[in-house]
Amino acid sequence: MYRLKHNISSTLGLIILYIHITDTRSSVINDLALGFTRLPFNKSYYINHKPYNLPLEERYSFINGVHKLWVFSTDEPLSRCSPTLPRSELFINVSVGYIYFTGVWQFEAHVFVPNGTTGVSLMQVFGGYPHVTNTTLMVRVYDGNLYYYKYEVISSDMYDKWFRLNVIRDVEGDTVNVYINGVLKFEGQGRGGAMHYFKCGVYAQDQDSYYMESRWKHINIYKKSK
Ligand SMILES: *[C@@H]1O[C@H](CO)[C@@H](O)[C@H](O)[C@H]1NC(C)=O
Ligand SMILES: *[C@@H]1O[C@H](CO)[C@@H](O)[C@H](O)[C@H]1NC(C)=O
Ligand SMILES: *[C@@H]1O[C@H](CO)[C@@H](O)[C@H](O)[C@H]1NC(C)=O
Ligand SMILES: *[C@@H]1O[C@H](CO)[C@@H](O)[C@H](O)[C@H]1NC(C)=O
């Protein structure tokens, strides 16, 4: 009897221990905010980039917490003389202190890309030298797959579903990591450039579709606590 009780209680103990371990482990993997401080992010913290000749509401809406950004391949660039392709993007307001030269910074958002949108950059870590795009990272969409530029698939089959995107840029460590739904999917290196900030939306690249759209909600900017 003693032995049976002992066995049952140690088995229960092991089960509880096991649950505890797996629980801790999964929360560590999923909690990308651990060790980071979330910074304020509202309308004062971003500026829209859009075709220079159009009113904002023709290429952007913000309804029920969802930023919808869209552009056509025949649109004008963000300024009259810019050689760049059309875009509708949220760009960090340079006046609010989220442009960084040091530290570990994180961008987080829930993203939706409708079927058909292709040949487009969804998200950028701006700053990279010497590179034509001046970026450390572009998360692009080609035919429903997320890409690191056009070099490497980050995640496949991403049309018509909300997913969580986290990008962590470690300036001193010179890394840039991309997580999809909390899972590390891409580990990259820096690409030079001293100054960085985040951008998101749609920015035409190559073989872009006539219509490009992405939707964003729960956008958060984090900085690693010292
Ligand atoms: C944006 O956030 C800042 C900092 O928390 C706050 O002072 C400001 O009132 C907010 N603005 C809006 C429009 O919510
Ligand atoms: C950018 O930030 C500055 C400083 O907080 C603020 O005065 C300005 O209105 C902001 N710009 C936009 C377009 O929100
Ligand atoms: C996207 O649309 C095309 C054309 O209508 C269709 O063939 C394809 O199955 C769709 N893909 C997804 C993931 O819904
Ligand atoms: C990259 O930076 C250079 C130098 O500042 C600038 O002339 C060029 O227009 C930038 N290109 C893009 C795509 O932003």
Side-chain angles (χ1 to χ4, degrees):
M1 192 60 204
Y2 165 79
R3 210 184 152 78
L4 183 63
K5 249 164 119 183
H6 177 79
N7 279 347
I8 288 171
S9 69
S10 60
T11 306
L12 270 179
L14 274 179
I15 289 170
I16 289 165
L17 183 69
Y18 176 75
I19 289 170
H20 179 74
I21 289 171
T22 49
D23 211 51
T24 312
R25 209 197 289 134
S26 63
S27 66
V28 167
I29 289 171
N30 289 321
D31 194 357
L32 295 171
L34 212 67
F36 284 82
T37 303
R38 182 149 66 95
L39 305 176
F41 189 79
N42 60 35
K43 181 66 199 90
S44 313
Y45 291 84
Y46 62 86
I47 292 170
N48 287 82
H49 272 164
K50 55 154 185 78
Y52 73 86
N53 58 334
L54 294 176
L56 181 59
E57 61 272 21
E58 289 190 20
R59 293 295 179 268
Y60 171 77
S61 69
F62 184 49
I63 298 167
N64 294 332
V66 179
H67 304 267
K68 180 174 154 185
L69 302 105
W70 66 96
V71 81
F72 293 88
S73 60
T74 48
D75 280 345
E76 294 293 329
L78 79 172
S79 63
R80 191 178 291 273
C81 298
S82 173
T84 64
L85 292 173
R87 67 177 97 204
S88 175
E89 286 186 300
L90 301 182
F91 156 74
I92 295 297
N93 178 347
V94 296
S95 312
V96 300
Y98 293 177
I99 289 194
Y100 53 94
F101 298 83
T102 60
V104 185
W105 289 71
Q106 179 173 181
F107 173 91
E108 173 182 65
H110 288 77
V111 196
F112 183 98
V113 183
N115 187 356
T117 287
T118 190
V120 68
S121 172
L122 281 188
M123 190 270 168
Q124 303 181 45
V125 176
F126 193 82
Y129 182 83
H131 293 283
V132 283
T133 58
N134 296 335
T135 53
T136 289
L137 172 73
M138 273 187 171
V139 176
R140 296 189 187 170
V141 179
Y142 291 102
D143 298 325
N145 304 314
L146 301 185
Y147 274 77
Y148 171 69
Y149 296 93
K150 209 177 181 175
Y151 302 138
E152 190 177 330
V153 174
I154 297 171
S155 197
S156 306
D157 192 17
M158 302 305 281
Y159 278 149
D160 289 341
K161 57 177 89 156
W162 283 99
F163 60 90
R164 181 160 64 102
L165 170 70
N166 294 72
V167 171
I168 300 180
R169 167 70 176 142
D170 179 339
V171 178
E172 283 78 15
D174 205 26
T175 57
V176 62
N177 290 348
V178 180
Y179 297 78
I180 303 297
N181 294 326
V183 178
L184 179 61
K185 300 293 268 187
F186 176 80
E187 292 179 87
Q189 300 290 302
R191 291 173 20 112
M195 179 262 281
H196 301 288
Y197 55 82
F198 301 121
K199 300 187 76 173
C200 67
V202 276
Y203 172 24
Q205 299 298 313
D206 59 304
Q207 296 174 289
D208 47 318
S209 45
Y210 175 60
Y211 177 74
M212 293 160 264
E213 178 192 311
S214 63
R215 301 175 209 160
W216 301 77
K217 62 183 179 184
H218 308 312
I219 298 176
N220 288 310
I221 308 285
Y222 300 88
K223 188 176 184 207
K224 193 150 209 165
S225 322
K226 283 261 150 60

